[in-house]
């Protein structure tokens, strides 16, 4: 008898709309119990290994605290303090770690690297950010949208800034959950449809002017001008992105009840003005907190499937 294939979460398109509906309602239940100090130990005696090849604040704390709250435990590795930093092949690392733990979360560079790890892992692997995708963040962002405004289906999300891992993941989500993304990036920083892994161009529209992208939007969102790993391009990006700062003028043309989101860390005065990120339409702190609730639902689902 062959064992069930291991289910991974390497990009947003790994799950379908039904699985997301389950995860969003499960995250709501998990959050309610957390707020009420009710125990929710569904992963007792399970261990999560977290491998960070890039820096993190939110991803580390949300996975680590979340796993403890589920009754499990966590092992934290970085490139520098493991044999990964001394060229042990990723395949061997995957074979070894996945014999000792129940679940692995990795933050790394190329998507191909996490895919190689997953191909050699006996246990589920979660993408905690790669150059191409950040699915856990968009899972939390859409959960946050639903908490504040209800279903995201049929809504318009304005993406202002780099055609990066966050943009790619929003685009994947739009195809699966039935909303539209208005994308505005500087020339040379466009989304690459094949890198984003999109089935078609139907769920997004491209705007050269970021103000036009925000017109009528239900949600305006952005990210750093320079993602981790691209620091050598800092100066060129600072010049190219000068007009891609989400400010009050952009928020004024969005719907009156539009939300503002940012995955954080943010640079006030660069990709977003202080007035917007610290203003009444911003939900960035809920968004950050919801990483933990959404990922607890995700870890449970990968380990145990649907509960109830
Ligand atoms: N948004 C996010 O992933 O934050 P960290 O880089 O702090 O983990
Ligand atoms: N696009 C950013 C997101 C950080 C959470 C990066 O990859 O650095």
């Amino acid at each position: 008898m062959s064992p069930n294939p291991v289910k991974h979460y390497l990009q947003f398109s790994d799950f379908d709309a039904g699985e997301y509906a389950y995860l969003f309602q499960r995250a709501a239940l998990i959050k309610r119990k957390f707020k009420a100090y009710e125990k929710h130990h569904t992963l007792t005696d399970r261990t999560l290994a977290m491998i960070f090849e890039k820096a993190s604040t939110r991803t580390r704390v949300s996975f680590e605290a979340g796993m403890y709250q589920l009754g499990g435990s966590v092992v934290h590795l970085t490139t520098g303090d493991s044999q990964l930093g001394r060229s042990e092949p990723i395949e061997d690392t995957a074979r070894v770690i996945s014999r000792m733990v129940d679940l692995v979360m990795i933050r790394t560079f190329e998507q191909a690297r996490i895919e190689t790890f997953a191909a050699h892992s006996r246990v589920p692997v979660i993408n905690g950010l790669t150059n191409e995708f950040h699915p856990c963040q968009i899972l939390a962002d859409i959960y946050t949208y639903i908490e504040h405004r209800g279903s995201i289906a049929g809504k318009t999300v304005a993406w202002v800034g780099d055609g990066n891992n966050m943009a790619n993941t929003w685009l994947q989500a739009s195809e699966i959950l039935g909303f539209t993304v208005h994308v505005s990036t500087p020339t040379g920083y466009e989304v690459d449809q094949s890198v984003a892994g999109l089935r078609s161009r139907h769920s997004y529209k491209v705007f050269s002017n970021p103000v036009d992208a925000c017109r009528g939007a239900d949600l305006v969102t952005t990210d750093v001008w320079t993602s981790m790993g691209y620091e050598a391009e800092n100066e060129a990006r600072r010049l190219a992105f000068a007009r891609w700062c989400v400010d009050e003028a952009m928020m004024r043309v969005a719907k009156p009840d539009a939300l503002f989101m940012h995955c954080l860390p943010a640079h006030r005065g660069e990709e977003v003005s202080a007035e917007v990120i610290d203003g009444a339409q911003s939900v960035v702190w809920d968004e950050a907190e919801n990483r933990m609730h959404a990922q607890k639902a995700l870890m449970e689902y990968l380990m145990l499937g649907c509960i109830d």
Side-chain angles (χ1 to χ4, degrees):
M1 200 174 75
S2 64
N4 288 335
V6 178
K7 199 166 176 64
H8 303 294
Y9 191 55
L10 305 182
Q11 48 186 299
F12 202 88
S13 58
D14 284 344
F15 291 173
D16 63 25
E19 291 175 292
Y20 283 110
Y22 170 77
L23 286 174
F24 295 139
Q25 62 91 11
R26 190 74 188 165
L29 176 136
I30 287 171
K31 182 170 182 176
R32 265 197 311 279
K33 290 180 77 174
F34 173 79
K35 297 289 178 189
Y37 296 95
E38 270 178 53
K39 256 195 197 126
H40 185 78
H41 283 182
T42 48
L43 295 185
T44 314
D45 294 337
R46 307 291 180 110
T47 306
L48 165 73
M50 304 192 295
I51 303 173
F52 284 97
E53 301 211 275
K54 291 176 177 171
S56 169
T57 297
R58 279 144 289 270
T59 303
R60 171 159 185 197
V61 176
S62 57
F63 270 104
E64 189 159 338
M67 190 60 178
Y68 287 127
Q69 290 160 22
L70 292 171
S73 55
V74 180
V75 178
H76 176 252
L77 293 154
T78 66
T79 315
D81 67 15
S82 69
Q83 299 290 5
L84 280 168
R86 298 177 64 253
S87 308
E88 180 164 18
I90 194 86
E91 295 88 338
D92 293 355
T93 308
R95 289 181 179 110
V96 171
I97 292 179
S98 71
R99 282 175 178 243
M100 300 179 189
V101 305
D102 303 283
L103 191 58
V104 179
M105 188 286 304
I106 310 182
R107 167 167 288 194
T108 188
F109 292 88
E110 297 78 24
Q111 183 71 10
R113 192 161 164 81
I114 196 171
E115 280 168 7
T116 303
F117 189 104
H120 295 85
S121 172
R122 291 183 168 190
V123 301
V125 177
I126 298 172
N127 182 346
L129 182 148
T130 55
N131 291 350
E132 290 86 350
F133 300 115
H134 198 0
C136 293
Q137 183 69 54
I138 303 303
L139 178 71
D141 291 7
I142 294 174
Y143 173 67
T144 306
Y145 186 87
I146 293 168
E147 254 190 345
H148 283 267
R149 296 283 183 267
S151 172
I152 198 164
K155 298 288 167 45
T156 298
V157 175
W159 175 264
V160 175
D162 193 14
N164 64 9
N165 44 10
M166 285 288 296
N168 289 339
T169 313
W170 270 114
L171 291 171
Q172 283 199 350
S174 68
E175 284 195 329
I176 294 160
L177 300 178
F179 59 91
T180 302
V181 184
H182 287 181
V183 182
S184 180
T185 68
T187 306
Y189 299 93
E190 294 88 353
V191 166
D192 180 332
Q193 195 176 317
S194 63
V195 174
L198 302 179
R199 289 193 294 264
S200 74
R201 282 207 50 158
H202 294 144
S203 68
Y204 74 101
K205 295 183 186 142
V206 174
F207 296 81
S208 49
N209 182 344
V211 180
D212 292 337
C214 294
R215 196 156 284 123
D218 299 279
L219 166 63
V220 177
T221 185
T222 186
D223 187 12
V224 290
W225 289 344
T226 305
S227 286
M228 291 179 279
Y230 298 84
E231 289 79 5
E233 301 173 15
N234 239 331
E235 194 46 32
R237 285 172 172 267
R238 228 173 42 76
L239 297 173
F241 282 78
R243 284 198 304 123
W244 278 262
C245 171
V246 176
D247 57 13
E248 287 173 304
M250 289 189 199
M251 292 306 295
R252 260 198 302 278
V253 300
K255 293 235 177 86
D257 69 343
L259 299 176
F260 172 77
M261 289 190 196
H262 188 312
C263 64
L264 306 175
H267 300 83
R268 290 168 176 77
E270 291 190 12
E271 75 275 6
V272 60
S273 71
E275 290 74 18
V276 169
I277 195 169
D278 299 319
Q281 288 166 281
S282 171
V283 292
V284 296
W285 312 122
D286 289 343
E287 183 187 357
E289 176 188 328
N290 284 337
R291 287 289 303 278
M292 186 174 79
H293 308 303
Q295 289 162 191
K296 283 166 75 177
L298 171 67
M299 290 192 283
E300 246 190 26
Y301 178 63
L302 288 171
M303 296 268 61
L304 308 174
C306 292
I307 301 172
D308 298 334

